[in-house]
mmCIF file of all heavy atoms in Angstrom:
data_model
loop_
_atom_site.group_PDB
_atom_site.id
_atom_site.type_symbol
_atom_site.label_atom_id
_atom_site.label_comp_id
_atom_site.label_asym_id
_atom_site.label_seq_id
_atom_site.Cartn_x
_atom_site.Cartn_y
_atom_site.Cartn_z
ATOM 1 N N ALA A 1 7.606 21.593 2.449
ATOM 2 C CA ALA A 1 7.823 20.566 3.400
ATOM 3 C C ALA A 1 9.098 19.774 3.212
ATOM 4 O O ALA A 1 9.596 19.760 2.038
ATOM 5 C CB ALA A 1 6.548 19.539 3.149
ATOM 6 N N THR A 2 9.584 19.282 4.221
ATOM 7 C CA THR A 2 10.774 18.480 4.172
ATOM 8 C C THR A 2 10.476 17.066 3.687
ATOM 9 O O THR A 2 9.309 16.626 3.713
ATOM 10 C CB THR A 2 11.515 18.401 5.484
ATOM 11 O OG1 THR A 2 10.624 17.695 6.455
ATOM 12 C CG2 THR A 2 11.844 19.836 6.052
ATOM 13 N N ALA A 3 11.505 16.294 3.330
ATOM 14 C CA ALA A 3 11.265 14.912 2.928
ATOM 15 C C ALA A 3 10.572 14.161 4.098
ATOM 16 O O ALA A 3 9.733 13.266 3.900
ATOM 17 C CB ALA A 3 12.591 14.235 2.541
ATOM 18 N N SER A 4 11.087 14.381 5.294
ATOM 19 C CA SER A 4 10.542 13.741 6.489
ATOM 20 C C SER A 4 9.048 14.046 6.672
ATOM 21 O O SER A 4 8.222 13.141 6.959
ATOM 22 C CB SER A 4 11.317 14.125 7.752
ATOM 23 O OG SER A 4 10.761 13.527 8.858
ATOM 24 N N GLU A 5 8.709 15.373 6.462
ATOM 25 C CA GLU A 5 7.287 15.712 6.649
ATOM 26 C C GLU A 5 6.404 15.071 5.597
ATOM 27 O O GLU A 5 5.230 14.667 5.841
ATOM 28 C CB GLU A 5 7.183 17.209 6.610
ATOM 29 C CG GLU A 5 7.777 17.945 7.836
ATOM 30 C CD GLU A 5 7.889 19.453 7.699
ATOM 31 O OE1 GLU A 5 8.001 19.892 6.484
ATOM 32 O OE2 GLU A 5 7.909 20.119 8.679
ATOM 33 N N ILE A 6 6.918 15.022 4.373
ATOM 34 C CA ILE A 6 6.124 14.386 3.286
ATOM 35 C C ILE A 6 5.917 12.875 3.576
ATOM 36 O O ILE A 6 4.775 12.355 3.481
ATOM 37 C CB ILE A 6 6.834 14.565 1.956
ATOM 38 C CG1 ILE A 6 6.806 16.036 1.578
ATOM 39 C CG2 ILE A 6 6.162 13.734 0.867
ATOM 40 C CD1 ILE A 6 7.623 16.397 0.307
ATOM 41 N N ALA A 7 6.982 12.192 3.976
ATOM 42 C CA ALA A 7 6.891 10.778 4.249
ATOM 43 C C ALA A 7 5.902 10.472 5.319
ATOM 44 O O ALA A 7 5.060 9.595 5.239
ATOM 45 C CB ALA A 7 8.246 10.191 4.560
ATOM 46 N N LYS A 8 5.996 11.240 6.472
ATOM 47 C CA LYS A 8 5.189 10.998 7.618
ATOM 48 C C LYS A 8 3.670 11.254 7.217
ATOM 49 O O LYS A 8 2.779 10.571 7.670
ATOM 50 C CB LYS A 8 5.522 11.868 8.815
ATOM 51 C CG LYS A 8 6.857 11.440 9.456
ATOM 52 C CD LYS A 8 7.212 12.391 10.492
ATOM 53 C CE LYS A 8 8.594 12.042 11.207
ATOM 54 N NZ LYS A 8 8.945 12.986 12.293
ATOM 55 N N ALA A 9 3.473 12.277 6.422
ATOM 56 C CA ALA A 9 2.085 12.602 6.002
ATOM 57 C C ALA A 9 1.353 11.526 5.159
ATOM 58 O O ALA A 9 0.222 11.296 5.202
ATOM 59 C CB ALA A 9 2.068 13.898 5.297
ATOM 60 N N TYR A 10 2.244 10.808 4.455
ATOM 61 C CA TYR A 10 1.707 9.875 3.451
ATOM 62 C C TYR A 10 1.751 8.398 3.880
ATOM 63 O O TYR A 10 1.243 7.548 3.114
ATOM 64 C CB TYR A 10 2.572 9.976 2.103
ATOM 65 C CG TYR A 10 2.159 11.205 1.287
ATOM 66 C CD1 TYR A 10 3.039 11.646 0.366
ATOM 67 C CD2 TYR A 10 0.898 11.825 1.375
ATOM 68 C CE1 TYR A 10 2.701 12.763 -0.403
ATOM 69 C CE2 TYR A 10 0.611 12.963 0.735
ATOM 70 C CZ TYR A 10 1.485 13.371 -0.295
ATOM 71 O OH TYR A 10 1.168 14.464 -1.038
ATOM 72 N N LEU A 11 2.312 8.083 4.973
ATOM 73 C CA LEU A 11 2.461 6.632 5.369
ATOM 74 C C LEU A 11 1.142 5.875 5.312
ATOM 75 O O LEU A 11 1.091 4.736 4.941
ATOM 76 C CB LEU A 11 3.172 6.539 6.701
ATOM 77 C CG LEU A 11 4.608 6.851 6.824
ATOM 78 C CD1 LEU A 11 5.137 6.587 8.227
ATOM 79 C CD2 LEU A 11 5.400 6.010 5.777
ATOM 80 N N ASP A 12 0.069 6.573 5.813
ATOM 81 C CA ASP A 12 -1.238 5.796 5.861
ATOM 82 C C ASP A 12 -1.842 5.647 4.501
ATOM 83 O O ASP A 12 -2.907 4.998 4.380
ATOM 84 C CB ASP A 12 -2.146 6.542 6.822
ATOM 85 C CG ASP A 12 -1.783 6.327 8.271
ATOM 86 O OD1 ASP A 12 -0.997 5.428 8.538
ATOM 87 O OD2 ASP A 12 -2.215 7.217 9.110
ATOM 88 N N CYS A 13 -1.337 6.323 3.442
ATOM 89 C CA CYS A 13 -1.851 6.086 2.088
ATOM 90 C C CYS A 13 -1.190 4.920 1.349
ATOM 91 O O CYS A 13 -1.668 4.619 0.257
ATOM 92 C CB CYS A 13 -1.573 7.405 1.299
ATOM 93 S SG CYS A 13 -2.081 8.922 2.051
ATOM 94 N N ILE A 14 -0.181 4.399 1.940
ATOM 95 C CA ILE A 14 0.612 3.354 1.273
ATOM 96 C C ILE A 14 0.259 2.016 1.827
ATOM 97 O O ILE A 14 0.063 1.847 3.000
ATOM 98 C CB ILE A 14 2.091 3.673 1.445
ATOM 99 C CG1 ILE A 14 2.424 5.092 0.831
ATOM 100 C CG2 ILE A 14 2.921 2.601 0.677
ATOM 101 C CD1 ILE A 14 3.709 5.660 1.213
ATOM 102 N N VAL A 15 0.129 1.020 0.948
ATOM 103 C CA VAL A 15 -0.313 -0.318 1.354
ATOM 104 C C VAL A 15 0.718 -1.368 0.870
ATOM 105 O O VAL A 15 1.510 -1.091 -0.008
ATOM 106 C CB VAL A 15 -1.715 -0.633 0.720
ATOM 107 C CG1 VAL A 15 -2.745 0.335 1.200
ATOM 108 C CG2 VAL A 15 -1.634 -0.755 -0.765
ATOM 109 N N THR A 16 0.571 -2.596 1.476
ATOM 110 C CA THR A 16 1.306 -3.757 0.997
ATOM 111 C C THR A 16 0.255 -4.690 0.445
ATOM 112 O O THR A 16 -0.747 -4.926 0.971
ATOM 113 C CB THR A 16 2.057 -4.393 2.162
ATOM 114 O OG1 THR A 16 2.910 -3.457 2.829
ATOM 115 C CG2 THR A 16 2.842 -5.581 1.657
ATOM 116 N N ILE A 17 0.597 -5.222 -0.699
ATOM 117 C CA ILE A 17 -0.321 -6.060 -1.576
ATOM 118 C C ILE A 17 0.260 -7.474 -1.617
ATOM 119 O O ILE A 17 1.346 -7.664 -2.189
ATOM 120 C CB ILE A 17 -0.517 -5.454 -2.961
ATOM 121 C CG1 ILE A 17 -1.039 -4.010 -2.872
ATOM 122 C CG2 ILE A 17 -1.515 -6.387 -3.748
ATOM 123 C CD1 ILE A 17 -0.920 -3.236 -4.233
ATOM 124 N N PHE A 18 -0.495 -8.450 -1.121
ATOM 125 C CA PHE A 18 -0.195 -9.867 -1.195
ATOM 126 C C PHE A 18 -1.002 -10.567 -2.288
ATOM 127 O O PHE A 18 -2.171 -10.329 -2.378
ATOM 128 C CB PHE A 18 -0.360 -10.556 0.160
ATOM 129 C CG PHE A 18 0.630 -10.201 1.141
ATOM 130 C CD1 PHE A 18 0.494 -9.052 1.960
ATOM 131 C CD2 PHE A 18 1.816 -11.022 1.378
ATOM 132 C CE1 PHE A 18 1.395 -8.763 2.988
ATOM 133 C CE2 PHE A 18 2.690 -10.687 2.374
ATOM 134 C CZ PHE A 18 2.475 -9.578 3.156
ATOM 135 N N VAL A 19 -0.361 -11.483 -3.048
ATOM 136 C CA VAL A 19 -1.042 -12.379 -3.926
ATOM 137 C C VAL A 19 -1.051 -13.706 -3.172
ATOM 138 O O VAL A 19 -0.045 -14.212 -2.712
ATOM 139 C CB VAL A 19 -0.327 -12.603 -5.246
ATOM 140 C CG1 VAL A 19 -1.080 -13.653 -6.046
ATOM 141 C CG2 VAL A 19 -0.326 -11.271 -6.034
ATOM 142 N N CYS A 20 -2.256 -14.257 -2.914
ATOM 143 C CA CYS A 20 -2.509 -15.486 -2.139
ATOM 144 C C CYS A 20 -3.197 -16.484 -2.972
ATOM 145 O O CYS A 20 -4.064 -16.150 -3.823
ATOM 146 C CB CYS A 20 -3.266 -15.184 -0.840
ATOM 147 S SG CYS A 20 -2.591 -13.949 0.219
ATOM 148 N N ASN A 21 -2.953 -17.785 -2.762
ATOM 149 C CA ASN A 21 -3.695 -18.792 -3.416
ATOM 150 C C ASN A 21 -4.856 -19.255 -2.550
ATOM 151 O O ASN A 21 -5.036 -18.769 -1.401
ATOM 152 C CB ASN A 21 -2.834 -19.977 -3.911
ATOM 153 C CG ASN A 21 -2.275 -20.824 -2.730
ATOM 154 O OD1 ASN A 21 -2.674 -20.722 -1.625
ATOM 155 N ND2 ASN A 21 -1.221 -21.540 -3.042
ATOM 156 N N SER A 22 -5.627 -20.220 -3.046
ATOM 157 C CA SER A 22 -6.874 -20.599 -2.317
ATOM 158 C C SER A 22 -6.563 -21.322 -0.997
ATOM 159 O O SER A 22 -7.427 -21.487 -0.195
ATOM 160 C CB SER A 22 -7.773 -21.490 -3.224
ATOM 161 O OG SER A 22 -7.002 -22.689 -3.609
ATOM 162 N N ASN A 23 -5.321 -21.705 -0.781
ATOM 163 C CA ASN A 23 -4.970 -22.351 0.411
ATOM 164 C C ASN A 23 -4.379 -21.325 1.460
ATOM 165 O O ASN A 23 -3.888 -21.699 2.540
ATOM 166 C CB ASN A 23 -3.893 -23.452 0.232
ATOM 167 C CG ASN A 23 -4.480 -24.661 -0.556
ATOM 168 O OD1 ASN A 23 -5.599 -25.090 -0.309
ATOM 169 N ND2 ASN A 23 -3.708 -25.135 -1.527
ATOM 170 N N GLY A 24 -4.372 -20.108 1.037
ATOM 171 C CA GLY A 24 -3.870 -19.075 1.952
ATOM 172 C C GLY A 24 -2.348 -18.886 1.904
ATOM 173 O O GLY A 24 -1.814 -18.195 2.748
ATOM 174 N N VAL A 25 -1.711 -19.552 0.970
ATOM 175 C CA VAL A 25 -0.215 -19.450 0.802
ATOM 176 C C VAL A 25 0.096 -18.154 0.148
ATOM 177 O O VAL A 25 -0.465 -17.821 -0.877
ATOM 178 C CB VAL A 25 0.329 -20.605 0.031
ATOM 179 C CG1 VAL A 25 1.847 -20.422 -0.114
ATOM 180 C CG2 VAL A 25 0.072 -21.911 0.828
ATOM 181 N N GLU A 26 0.989 -17.384 0.707
ATOM 182 C CA GLU A 26 1.382 -16.089 0.105
ATOM 183 C C GLU A 26 2.289 -16.387 -1.074
ATOM 184 O O GLU A 26 3.398 -16.980 -0.882
ATOM 185 C CB GLU A 26 2.088 -15.281 1.199
ATOM 186 C CG GLU A 26 1.228 -15.018 2.437
ATOM 187 C CD GLU A 26 2.108 -14.604 3.600
ATOM 188 O OE1 GLU A 26 3.348 -14.768 3.545
ATOM 189 O OE2 GLU A 26 1.491 -14.128 4.555
ATOM 190 N N ILE A 27 1.948 -16.013 -2.253
ATOM 191 C CA ILE A 27 2.746 -16.299 -3.453
ATOM 192 C C ILE A 27 3.778 -15.167 -3.620
ATOM 193 O O ILE A 27 4.938 -15.436 -3.981
ATOM 194 C CB ILE A 27 1.834 -16.441 -4.639
ATOM 195 C CG1 ILE A 27 0.838 -17.525 -4.410
ATOM 196 C CG2 ILE A 27 2.643 -16.728 -5.913
ATOM 197 C CD1 ILE A 27 1.301 -18.839 -4.017
ATOM 198 N N SER A 28 3.346 -13.909 -3.427
ATOM 199 C CA SER A 28 4.268 -12.816 -3.720
ATOM 200 C C SER A 28 3.691 -11.579 -3.089
ATOM 201 O O SER A 28 2.469 -11.594 -2.636
ATOM 202 C CB SER A 28 4.487 -12.611 -5.190
ATOM 203 O OG SER A 28 3.270 -12.271 -5.798
ATOM 204 N N PHE A 29 4.502 -10.525 -2.945
ATOM 205 C CA PHE A 29 3.901 -9.302 -2.499
ATOM 206 C C PHE A 29 4.656 -8.145 -3.062
ATOM 207 O O PHE A 29 5.767 -8.241 -3.579
ATOM 208 C CB PHE A 29 3.964 -9.203 -0.903
ATOM 209 C CG PHE A 29 5.319 -8.960 -0.324
ATOM 210 C CD1 PHE A 29 5.737 -7.672 -0.242
ATOM 211 C CD2 PHE A 29 6.045 -9.954 0.169
ATOM 212 C CE1 PHE A 29 7.016 -7.360 0.364
ATOM 213 C CE2 PHE A 29 7.369 -9.726 0.788
ATOM 214 C CZ PHE A 29 7.752 -8.388 0.856
ATOM 215 N N GLY A 30 3.977 -7.027 -3.089
ATOM 216 C CA GLY A 30 4.507 -5.792 -3.595
ATOM 217 C C GLY A 30 3.885 -4.609 -2.842
ATOM 218 O O GLY A 30 3.266 -4.781 -1.721
ATOM 219 N N SER A 31 4.020 -3.432 -3.286
ATOM 220 C CA SER A 31 3.508 -2.224 -2.636
ATOM 221 C C SER A 31 2.523 -1.493 -3.476
ATOM 222 O O SER A 31 2.317 -1.823 -4.624
ATOM 223 C CB SER A 31 4.680 -1.278 -2.333
ATOM 224 O OG SER A 31 5.705 -1.923 -1.531
ATOM 225 N N GLY A 32 1.765 -0.534 -2.977
ATOM 226 C CA GLY A 32 0.828 0.262 -3.653
ATOM 227 C C GLY A 32 0.524 1.566 -2.969
ATOM 228 O O GLY A 32 0.885 1.771 -1.802
ATOM 229 N N ILE A 33 -0.197 2.453 -3.649
ATOM 230 C CA ILE A 33 -0.463 3.736 -3.101
ATOM 231 C C ILE A 33 -1.959 4.122 -3.425
ATOM 232 O O ILE A 33 -2.318 4.051 -4.621
ATOM 233 C CB ILE A 33 0.464 4.788 -3.711
ATOM 234 C CG1 ILE A 33 0.132 6.235 -3.249
ATOM 235 C CG2 ILE A 33 0.619 4.674 -5.187
ATOM 236 C CD1 ILE A 33 0.407 6.497 -1.787
ATOM 237 N N CYS A 34 -2.650 4.551 -2.489
ATOM 238 C CA CYS A 34 -4.076 4.911 -2.635
ATOM 239 C C CYS A 34 -4.174 6.378 -3.296
ATOM 240 O O CYS A 34 -3.460 7.267 -2.829
ATOM 241 C CB CYS A 34 -4.804 4.948 -1.268
ATOM 242 S SG CYS A 34 -6.619 5.048 -1.499
ATOM 243 N N VAL A 35 -4.945 6.428 -4.336
ATOM 244 C CA VAL A 35 -4.976 7.689 -5.151
ATOM 245 C C VAL A 35 -6.379 8.229 -5.346
ATOM 246 O O VAL A 35 -6.532 9.288 -6.030
ATOM 247 C CB VAL A 35 -4.405 7.438 -6.577
ATOM 248 C CG1 VAL A 35 -2.837 7.147 -6.423
ATOM 249 C CG2 VAL A 35 -5.118 6.295 -7.308
ATOM 250 N N TYR A 36 -7.318 7.663 -4.666
ATOM 251 C CA TYR A 36 -8.716 8.198 -4.787
ATOM 252 C C TYR A 36 -9.544 7.701 -3.561
ATOM 253 O O TYR A 36 -9.323 6.560 -3.098
ATOM 254 C CB TYR A 36 -9.374 7.805 -6.130
ATOM 255 C CG TYR A 36 -10.380 8.668 -6.599
ATOM 256 C CD1 TYR A 36 -10.175 9.840 -7.470
ATOM 257 C CD2 TYR A 36 -11.778 8.491 -6.282
ATOM 258 C CE1 TYR A 36 -11.171 10.633 -7.869
ATOM 259 C CE2 TYR A 36 -12.823 9.274 -6.698
ATOM 260 C CZ TYR A 36 -12.502 10.359 -7.461
ATOM 261 O OH TYR A 36 -13.469 11.193 -7.984
ATOM 262 N N SER A 37 -10.526 8.442 -3.223
ATOM 263 C CA SER A 37 -11.368 8.066 -2.135
ATOM 264 C C SER A 37 -12.148 6.842 -2.538
ATOM 265 O O SER A 37 -12.531 6.599 -3.686
ATOM 266 C CB SER A 37 -12.460 9.143 -1.813
ATOM 267 O OG SER A 37 -13.272 9.503 -2.925
ATOM 268 N N GLY A 38 -12.338 5.920 -1.608
ATOM 269 C CA GLY A 38 -12.999 4.626 -1.880
ATOM 270 C C GLY A 38 -12.051 3.544 -2.116
ATOM 271 O O GLY A 38 -12.494 2.392 -2.510
ATOM 272 N N GLY A 39 -10.803 3.660 -1.649
ATOM 273 C CA GLY A 39 -9.847 2.560 -1.691
ATOM 274 C C GLY A 39 -9.246 2.199 -3.033
ATOM 275 O O GLY A 39 -8.892 1.041 -3.305
ATOM 276 N N TYR A 40 -9.153 3.178 -3.951
ATOM 277 C CA TYR A 40 -8.578 2.950 -5.293
ATOM 278 C C TYR A 40 -7.078 3.140 -5.167
ATOM 279 O O TYR A 40 -6.546 4.139 -4.705
ATOM 280 C CB TYR A 40 -9.154 3.987 -6.313
ATOM 281 C CG TYR A 40 -10.572 3.698 -6.625
ATOM 282 C CD1 TYR A 40 -11.635 4.332 -5.860
ATOM 283 C CD2 TYR A 40 -10.934 2.729 -7.596
ATOM 284 C CE1 TYR A 40 -12.988 4.017 -6.196
ATOM 285 C CE2 TYR A 40 -12.232 2.453 -7.883
ATOM 286 C CZ TYR A 40 -13.302 3.115 -7.157
ATOM 287 O OH TYR A 40 -14.606 2.781 -7.479
ATOM 288 N N ILE A 41 -6.331 2.115 -5.604
ATOM 289 C CA ILE A 41 -4.896 1.998 -5.381
ATOM 290 C C ILE A 41 -4.187 1.782 -6.712
ATOM 291 O O ILE A 41 -4.679 1.041 -7.624
ATOM 292 C CB ILE A 41 -4.607 0.756 -4.482
ATOM 293 C CG1 ILE A 41 -5.187 1.064 -3.127
ATOM 294 C CG2 ILE A 41 -3.104 0.483 -4.435
ATOM 295 C CD1 ILE A 41 -5.288 -0.183 -2.202
#
């Protein structure tokens, strides 16, 4: 597979992760990747 094909195949496996406080303020964010069925990242 080409790099383009790999990236397109995996886009839905990749997530954005926000840390929020109890007021809903976004404190920080990063990225993550799902590695197992059931939403394990």
